[in-house]
Amino acid sequence: MTLRLLSLSTLYPASVRPGFGRFVARQMEALAARPDWDVTVINPIGLPPLPAALMPHSYDRCVPSR
């Protein structure tokens, strides 16, 4: 029986950050090397969220007041 794994990890080496998330890459590569595992890795690369001070005024109502 083949086990299938889908890994969604923002901590994964990419061309712009080759040393980033090496531990995750090593874990996934170790599982993929086994004959009974089918491993797929998705490394979503996006922009980090804006600081609250830079958010448009319309988002003020979405942030709870303290």
Side-chain angles (χ1 to χ4, degrees):
M1 178 170 101
T2 300
L3 300 171
R4 298 174 69 193
L5 171 68
L6 172 61
S7 173
L8 300 169
S9 179
T10 56
L11 295 173
Y12 202 83
S15 60
V16 293
R17 302 175 302 190
F20 192 70
R22 287 184 190 165
F23 61 97
V24 175
R26 283 194 300 266
Q27 290 173 346
M28 296 303 108
E29 290 166 0
L31 284 174
R34 295 177 55 129
D36 56 337
W37 281 84
D38 179 21
V39 178
T40 301
V41 177
I42 296 177
N43 176 219
I45 300 174
L47 297 173
L50 290 173
L54 298 177
M55 292 285 224
H57 183 68
S58 61
Y59 287 104
D60 287 347
R61 66 178 180 266
C62 298
V63 179
S65 59
R66 290 186 174 192

